[in-house]
């Protein structure tokens, strides 16, 4: 059968991955090194060999590491168990260090929001992910040591938030195998992380409540920054729990005084508070005579005395932290379940903290619990104080299943409730199918129903296993003479057969049916009163002591009134915690024989019995007796403490067993000589005690004593005792209990006991009457308070109505005034609007006019531009025409000149013109020189116009010269053409 995985460590020399069968044994020897790993900078990358991942006939995974690293982790297959018990997978991390297998404990685990992944973190910080859909698992490259809890982040499928024991918080991305962000919040370990309904809305910022130790903070989930440090005013109480309420933005806190407070995450103010323990006590006080609470017990209520007790080995609880031990919410968040240290289960309303249901846990307490989603508010998975994982049915408290009988320390339920993980103290995680567990519970209920309907007869009480195994042949072998010889030789009986020998020595009859009848009579009133004061740490031993004492008290009334009986019973019960019948018959035999004179003057110490001890001590050591008289010590101070505790207070366990081996072998008066021998052996120590208090304490403390010398001394005293002082004169010889009946013990003041019982019964009746009257008064007080509250409510309602009417009238009056004022303001606004409207219209008209003017100006400019353009074009055409005409005239003039001059040289033709031109040039130059001299003499203001005039003149002269040169050039060219032609 598959489903048990060993996880290899990345930094160790070697590891083994194995699939373990249905019986829990490995298919092959663990010494075979089936897997080896290498570490490359704390990042392990696995790669299969050439044959790949192999699965041989023994269903063993063989994987080998590769020295080359890859970016993505390798994934390896696994298979689930196919059994009907419900355990589908077991994961543990076992490695080899120095050739020895070492189990690494699992620190935390959780399921994802889609319920298909299991994330496991060991104490060394290694992350493993199991996919239940693809049946593959892999390992992340990141590490976070000393992880304590892990939870999936809301709205992020691959992100997880992890808290460790050093107060650090970080977020892990499973897909990328990286730590996105981390923050150190404190020095204590992270205990709780919760968030409200805001993370379901991605558009709003979300806060998470983190509790570490006795401190809590509000933290932003995205940045892991602390937004608020929660500080509480009252320093007398410390913080126990802190978490967000389901489907709400409010969170609650629980303090060591068991008070619940609900706070707003926005204003950080207290909204409401509750006292569940006070509500529970009030519910218990108001229970009627015929009413009872539904009880849940892990033991079968019809069990016999031979059934194994549930061991409850835990240290004393710290009641200074209050009674509330754990809490959980129903899946819909409407109910809150809380467990108490004194064995109660409370169902509260999450809205008001009102107590709705109350259950009694008779033989266990709950440390952690979770509700199954379907059926609602019925099935609870819990971790008990004995480290058991159990499944309880609140609808039918007789039906329950012990999922894991031991070593369970933490449980985690998937969101859909189909998978349950239980973390064990031995370092492994067991994954259970809740469907199979629920089916088993249904089958169990059906079987019980069928059995009760078909079998109407009670179960037969089995015989005592101790006596049933001892046949007649063994009884014949254990003769007293043989036992005495064995005791004389070895000083004690063999441990393996001691209680068998005790049974034979006392000839216990094993009256099982009579013992069951005594059990059915119940626990007497006096025993119940004294049981409250018992200080026995082990709960199983405490129950066994109460059961044996109750049977002894039903057998003999005086034993219920003896305060020393628990101290006398406890040493025997401690040695035989699972054999109440043997303990009862042994003590009953001792009462009939060895303790027959102890109850003559009850409730006073047995004066006659102690007088025998005093007479023997006086006879053997007068000096010690005088010392006792000087300190005013009586036999009840130096003898009765030894007897009433059966020598258990002054001897260690092995010594005590050896002493009782001898007491049960010797005659019934042997304890008298033991008391005298104990005083004589310790006389040197006793004589050096300085005061009475130290002497009294001496007989209540363990002191070093040689048990062989003590027993030898007691036997010598008994052998040499004078007949006048011998206790056998006053005590009867040993007689065993007969078969089928328990003889009555009558050597006690029965009249006083009857009187005490009558007084106790009358006091009980009186107390019941007082309790009934108190309940009646409380009910009357409740009804009165209800009537008063109703009257006050009506009065308050009428007052509120009057105030509301007045408020409405004032509101209406204010509204009328406001409406009148608003009407006035409306008129004013209308006038203002009209004025502004006229202004706006005028401005719009002006603007329109300006726009039209601008458009007209633009049109005029456009027309002027067109006209100017036409004018320039006409001017250019006219100029071209004038130039054409001038050219024509010049040609005509040239032809005329040519015709007039004929072939004469040009110099002759134009000599007069050229001289005229030279003369004009000389005149112009003289004029220019004179103008230059005048400009130098003239002021600077006239410089600009003269310069401009000079420039114009020069330009005109140059133009004339150019025209003249063109004319000469043209005439020369024509002359040349004429000659050529």
């Amino acid at each position: 059968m598959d489903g048990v995985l060993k996880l290899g460590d990345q930094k160790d020399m070697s590891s083994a991955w194995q699939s373990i069968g249905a019986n829990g044994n490995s298919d092959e020897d663990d010494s075979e090194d089936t897997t080896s790993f290498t570490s490359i900078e704390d990042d392990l990358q696995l790669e299969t060999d050439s044959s790949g991942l192999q699965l041989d006939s023994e269903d063993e995974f063989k994987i080998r590491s590769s020295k080359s690293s890859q970016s993505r982790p390798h994934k390896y297959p696994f298979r689930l168990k196919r059994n009907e018990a419900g355990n589908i997978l077991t994961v543990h991390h076992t490695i080899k260090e120095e050739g020895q297998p070492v189990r690494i404990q699992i620190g935390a685990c959780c399921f994802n929001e889609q319920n298909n992944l299991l994330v496991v973190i060991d104490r060394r910080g290694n992350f493993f992910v199991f996919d239940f859909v693809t049946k593959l698992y892999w390992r992340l490259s990141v590490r976070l040591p000393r992880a304590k809890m892990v939870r999936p982040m809301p709205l992020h499928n691959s992100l997880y938030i992890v808290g460790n024991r050093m107060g650090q918080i970080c977020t892990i991305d499973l897909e990328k195998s990286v730590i996105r962000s981390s923050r150190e919040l404190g020095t204590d370990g992270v205990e709780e992380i919760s968030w409200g309904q805001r993370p379901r809305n991605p558009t709003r910022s979300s806060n998470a409540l983190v509790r570490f130790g006795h401190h809590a903070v509000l933290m932003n989930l995205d940045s892991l920054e602390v937004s608020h440090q929660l500080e509480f005013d009252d320093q007398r109480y410390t913080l126990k729990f802190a978490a967000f309420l389901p489907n709400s933005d409010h969170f609650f806190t629980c303090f060591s005084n068991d008070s619940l407070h609900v706070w707003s995450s926005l204003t950080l103010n207290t909204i409401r508070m509750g006292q569940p323990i006070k509500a529970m006590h009030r519910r218990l006080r108001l229970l009627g005579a015929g009413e009872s609470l539904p009880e849940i017990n892990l033991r079968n209520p019809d069990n016999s005395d031979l059934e194994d007790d549930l061991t409850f080995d835990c240290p004393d609880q710290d009641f200074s932290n209050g009674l509330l031990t754990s809490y959980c919410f129903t899946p819909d968040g409407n109910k809150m379940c809380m467990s108490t240290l004194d064995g109660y289960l409370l169902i509260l309303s999450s809205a008001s903290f009102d107590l709705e249901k109350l259950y009694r846990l008779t033989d266990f307490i709950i440390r952690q619990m979770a509700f199954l989603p379907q059926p609602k508010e019925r099935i609870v998975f819990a971790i008990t104080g004995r480290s058991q994982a159990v499944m309880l049915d609140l609808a039918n408290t007789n039906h329950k299943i012990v999922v894991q009988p031991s070593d369970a320390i933490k449980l985690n339920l998937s969101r859909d409730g189909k998978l349950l993980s239980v973390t064990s103290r031995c370092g492994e995680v067991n994954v259970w199918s809740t469907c199979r567990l629920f089916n088993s519970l249904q089958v169990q209920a059906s079987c019980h129903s069928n059995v009760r309907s078909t079998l109407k007869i009670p179960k037969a009480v089995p015989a005592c296993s101790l006596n049933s195994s001892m046949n007649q042949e063994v009884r014949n072998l254990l003769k007293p003479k043989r036992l005495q010889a064995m005791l004389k030789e070895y000083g004690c009986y063999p441990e393996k057969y001691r209680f068998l020998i005790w049974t034979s020595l006392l000839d216990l009859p094993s009256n099982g049916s009579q013992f069951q009848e005594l059990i059915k009579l119940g626990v007497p009133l006096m025993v119940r009163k004294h049981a409250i004061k018992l200080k026995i740490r082990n709960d199983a031993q405490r129950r066994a002591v109460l059961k044996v004492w109750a049977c002894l008290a039903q057998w003999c009334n005086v034993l219920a009134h003896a305060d020393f009986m628990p101290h006398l019973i406890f040493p025997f019960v401690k040695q035989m915690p699972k054999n109440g019948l043997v303990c009862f018959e042994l003590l009953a035999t001792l009462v009939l024989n060895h303790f027959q004179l102890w109850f003559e003057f009850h409730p006073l110490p047995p004066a006659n019995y102690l007088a025998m001890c005093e007479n023997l001590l006086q006879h053997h050591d007068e000096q010690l007796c005088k010392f006792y008289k000087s300190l005013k010590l009586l036999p009840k101070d130096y003898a009765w403490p030894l007897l009433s505790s059966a020598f258990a207070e002054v001897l260690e366990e092995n010594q005590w067993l050896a002493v009782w081996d001898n007491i049960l072998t010797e005659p019934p008066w042997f304890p008298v000589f033991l008391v005298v021998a104990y005083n004589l052996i310790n006389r040197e120590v006793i004589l050096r005690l300085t005061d009475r208090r130290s002497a009294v304490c001496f007989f209540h403390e363990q002191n070093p004593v040689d048990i062989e010398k003590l027993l030898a001394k007691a036997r010598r005293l008994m052998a040499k005792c004078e007949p006048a002082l011998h206790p056998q004169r006053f005590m009867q010889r040993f007689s065993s209990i007969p078969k089928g009946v328990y003889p009555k013990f009558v050597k006690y003041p029965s009249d006083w006991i009857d009187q005490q019982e009558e007084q106790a019964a009358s006091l009980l009746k009186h107390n019941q009457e007082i309790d009934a009257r108190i309940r009646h008064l409380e009910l009357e007080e409740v009804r009165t308070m209800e009537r008063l509250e109703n009257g006050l409510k009506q009065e308050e309602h009428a007052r509120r109505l009057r105030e509301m009417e007045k408020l409405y009238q004032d509101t209406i009056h204010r509204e009328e005034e406001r409406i009148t004022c608003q009407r006035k303001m409306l008129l004013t606004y209308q006038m203002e609007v009209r004025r502004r409207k006229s202004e706006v219209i005028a401005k719009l008209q002006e603007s329109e006019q300006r726009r039209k003017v601008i458009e007209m100006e633009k049109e005029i400019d456009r027309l002027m531009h067109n006209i100017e353009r036409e004018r320039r074009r006409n001017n250019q055409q006219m100029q071209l025409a004038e130039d054409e005409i001038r050219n024509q005239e010049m040609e005509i003039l040239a032809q005329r000149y040519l015709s007039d001059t004929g072939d004469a040289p040009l110099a002759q033709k134009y000599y007069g013109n050229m001289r005229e031109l030279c003369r004009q040039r000389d005149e112009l130059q003289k004029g220019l020189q004179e103008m230059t001299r005048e400009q130098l003499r003239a002021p600077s203001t006239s410089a600009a116009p003269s310069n401009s005039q000079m420039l114009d003149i020069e330009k005109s002269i140059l133009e004339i010269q150019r025209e003249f040169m063109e004319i000469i050039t043209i005439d020369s060219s024509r002359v040349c053409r004429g000659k050529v032609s």
Side-chain angles (χ1 to χ4, degrees), residues 286-320:
L286 296 179
L287 283 176
E291 298 180 7
S292 62
L293 295 176
E295 294 186 353
I296 305 175
N297 55 352
L298 296 183
R299 290 185 60 183
N300 189 354
D302 299 329
N303 64 332
S304 65
D305 179 67
L306 301 176
E307 186 175 348
D308 290 346
D309 288 335
L310 295 170
T311 58
F312 185 36
D313 187 10
C314 65
D316 292 336
Q317 299 289 343
D318 187 5
F319 286 87
S320 62

Side-chain angles (χ1 to χ4, degrees), residues 165-200:
R165 298 179 181 273
M166 297 176 288
Q168 296 174 347
I169 292 286
C170 68
T171 55
I172 306 294
D173 192 337
L174 293 188
E175 293 182 354
K176 299 180 179 179
S177 187
V178 295
I179 298 178
R180 284 198 171 184
S181 57
S182 62
R183 186 71 57 186
E184 184 173 357
L185 301 180
T187 58
D188 297 328
V190 178
E191 302 287 346
E192 294 179 87
I193 301 177
S194 61
W195 42 78
Q197 64 180 357
R198 283 195 178 188
R200 306 300 174 191

Side-chain angles (χ1 to χ4, degrees), residues 313-440:
D313 187 10
C314 65
D316 292 336
Q317 299 289 343
D318 187 5
F319 286 87
S320 62
N321 286 333
L323 295 178
L324 296 178
T325 57
S326 64
Y327 73 94
C328 73
F329 292 96
T330 55
D332 57 5
N334 295 331
K335 300 292 187 297
M336 182 180 185
C337 185
M338 307 196 79
S339 62
T340 64
L341 195 61
D342 53 351
Y344 287 96
L345 193 66
L346 291 72
I347 306 296
L348 309 172
S349 171
S350 300
S352 60
F353 291 145
D354 292 335
L355 181 61
E356 297 186 355
K357 295 180 183 178
L358 184 62
Y359 298 88
R360 178 75 173 96
L361 310 178
T362 57
D363 55 357
F364 68 101
I365 62 174
I366 292 178
R367 293 188 305 176
Q368 187 187 0
M369 53 188 168
F371 269 98
L372 195 66
Q374 293 294 337
K376 292 184 178 180
E377 304 173 12
R378 177 182 170 185
I379 304 300
V380 175
F381 290 98
I383 302 294
T384 67
R386 306 183 188 96
S387 300
Q388 294 174 306
V390 296
M391 181 181 183
L392 307 177
D393 189 351
L394 299 184
N396 192 339
T397 56
N398 293 327
H399 300 157
K400 60 270 181 183
I401 291 179
V402 178
V403 179
Q404 185 169 319
S406 62
D407 290 341
I409 58 175
K410 191 184 300 183
L411 62 83
N412 191 281
L413 195 63
S414 63
R415 189 175 182 85
D416 59 358
K418 294 182 179 180
L419 295 176
L420 171 72
S421 68
V422 179
T423 306
S424 302
R425 186 176 287 107
C426 62
E428 64 184 24
V429 175
N430 292 302
V431 181
W432 301 79
S433 172
T434 57
C435 299
R436 297 180 185 177
L437 293 175
F438 185 73
N439 292 337
S440 300

Side-chain angles (χ1 to χ4, degrees), residues 616-633:
L616 287 173
L617 187 63
Q618 179 73 26
H619 176 74
H620 291 283
D621 197 333
E622 294 184 0
Q623 182 183 0
L624 185 59
C625 289
K626 290 180 181 180
F627 176 76
Y628 285 158
K629 289 181 180 179
S630 65
L631 296 179
K632 297 182 180 181
L633 286 178

Side-chain angles (χ1 to χ4, degrees), residues 304 458-462:
S304 65
K459 288 195 308 181
V461 179

